[in-house]
Amino acid sequence: MPAIGVPSRLGRPIGRVTSSPGNLPPPLLPMLYTWFKRRRRRRLLNEAFPDEWMLYLDKAVRFYPQLTPEDQRRLRDDLRVFIAEKHWVGCNGLEVNDEMRVVIAAYACLLILRKSIDVYNRLDTILVYPDSYLALESAFPRSEPVPIGWRHGESWSHGSIVLSWNTTVDNIRDDEGENLVLHEFAHQLDMSDRFADGVPRLGSRQQYHTWKEIMAAEYEQLYDDARSGRPTLLDQYGLSDEAEFFAVATECFFLRGEEMEERHPRLYEILTEFYELDTAKMF
Ligand SMILES: [Zn+2]
């Protein structure tokens, strides 16, 4: 499935101020940017939530009706800010519509329901393909990109995410423990400290220690189960590397919380602590 890395062609500077306000000294620019951003968000959230967007949420976002009214409001607010502040690009002739934006943003914002929307500040562009697509990569900087295989999605550390809309819809409809949007945005959280290593930004040295110890043990268990042919709750694609393990564990945490709590209690516990959500009880 998806890969991670640094985009050579699609990225653009994050948080770039496109018009410079005259000769203000440099330290004022970030302050002004923050001030404008807050004001823009306040105005946006003062507007009524579009009725059609509610329909998309109810229809396509499985977890939404199960949230408390307060969490639903928080998700709607985050989702509106997310949609407004990111660049949405349709690829291979696809025109990105509101339903696509709402569904993708809802799953992206579910991951950060207890965090700030600013966790996604480094993400700038969402590229949406109609279906799986032929990915291109350059072997060296400035070299001609060459096809490297078909993909459903990608998550890049320098500002972009790529998603197949058909895969997104299929995952939601089939509800079989996979969700491309949760997967790719989990990579974004992982890379919030700039490293795609399966370890997102945590609060303390002790948390880093516990995280690495539990993730390594769970990874090993998945490896042993896979090698022995035992059925696994976690997608064995997680054996690709530590980053993929965190991404598939996140999918499982949100889509199979109850089973994960029962079969992988320590993994469930550190993910509950990280996301600050008790998905086994919520969904
Ligand atoms: Zn991945």
Side-chain angles (χ1 to χ4, degrees):
M1 192 150 87
I4 47 180
V6 180
S8 56
R9 305 174 306 285
L10 303 172
R12 76 174 77 183
I14 307 305
R16 181 175 59 164
V17 180
T18 51
S19 59
S20 167
N23 295 320
L24 289 171
L28 280 180
L29 290 174
M31 286 171 61
L32 265 180
Y33 178 74
T34 304
W35 183 79
F36 276 121
K37 188 165 79 171
R38 282 189 186 147
R39 194 174 70 153
R40 201 172 53 230
R41 286 180 180 179
R42 267 200 308 274
R43 283 183 176 173
L44 177 71
L45 297 180
N46 278 336
E47 293 167 16
F49 193 82
D51 288 343
E52 320 85 72
W53 290 20
M54 282 304 304
L55 295 177
Y56 303 142
L57 277 176
D58 285 332
K59 188 181 84 175
V61 184
R62 187 193 73 157
F63 61 83
Y64 181 76
Q66 295 161 277
L67 296 175
T68 64
E70 175 55 25
D71 280 345
Q72 287 182 343
R73 185 200 57 76
R74 176 186 267 263
L75 188 89
R76 288 196 305 269
D77 287 355
D78 283 351
L79 174 153
R80 275 203 287 179
V81 170
F82 185 91
I83 288 174
E85 293 186 358
K86 305 304 175 196
H87 294 90
W88 297 81
V89 180
C91 305
N92 277 2
L94 181 78
E95 193 170 320
V96 181
N97 60 30
D98 278 357
E99 180 178 8
M100 295 171 187
R101 291 189 190 91
V102 169
V103 170
I104 291 168
Y107 282 97
C109 293
L110 174 66
L111 293 181
I112 55 151
L113 198 61
R114 295 283 180 270
K115 304 178 188 298
S116 162
I117 186 80
D118 290 333
V119 170
Y120 290 137
N121 270 356
R122 296 179 67 213
L123 176 67
D124 183 64
T125 305
I126 322 289
L127 297 114
V128 188
Y129 279 82
D131 213 328
S132 55
Y133 56 92
L134 189 58
L136 304 174
E137 250 180 42
S138 303
F140 306 102
R142 297 198 188 89
S143 66
E144 194 63 29
V146 293
I148 53 163
W150 292 90
R151 286 182 177 166
H152 299 282
E154 294 168 66
S155 196
W156 296 92
S157 60
H158 287 184
S160 58
I161 257 187
V162 191
L163 299 165
S164 148
W165 177 245
N166 273 355
T167 308
T168 301
V169 171
D170 288 349
N171 287 167
I172 294 168
R173 185 198 56 224
D174 298 343
D175 192 20
E176 288 179 348
E178 289 185 10
N179 185 298
L180 178 68
V181 183
L182 292 176
H183 182 105
E184 300 305 340
F185 280 87
H187 281 315
Q188 288 293 310
L189 297 182
D190 178 10
M191 293 185 287
S192 60
D193 60 358
R194 296 176 185 268
F195 299 106
D197 57 0
V199 186
R201 195 183 292 277
L202 301 171
S204 70
R205 185 178 290 192
Q206 181 56 43
Q207 278 178 303
Y208 280 105
H209 177 78
T210 307
W211 183 279
K212 286 176 184 172
E213 188 250 313
I214 292 174
M215 284 292 181
E218 293 284 345
Y219 183 95
E220 224 167 280
Q221 186 186 331
L222 182 62
Y223 178 80
D224 286 344
D225 288 345
R227 200 177 51 174
S228 310
R230 289 189 288 270
T232 59
L233 179 64
L234 292 163
D235 187 340
Q236 294 176 16
Y237 180 71
L239 291 172
S240 308
D241 58 36
E242 295 90 338
E244 296 303 343
F245 186 82
F246 170 59
V248 303
T250 292
E251 287 177 89
C252 187
F253 176 72
F254 280 95
L255 303 173
R256 296 281 184 270
E258 222 174 323
E259 287 164 87
M260 182 186 252
E261 186 182 31
E262 195 182 313
R263 293 171 60 177
H264 300 272
R266 296 182 79 206
L267 182 58
Y268 181 82
E269 192 183 335
I270 55 165
L271 291 175
T272 300
E273 200 175 304
F274 174 66
Y275 287 111
E276 298 175 57
L277 297 169
D278 192 351
T279 54
K281 292 192 177 63
M282 291 170 73
F283 307 128

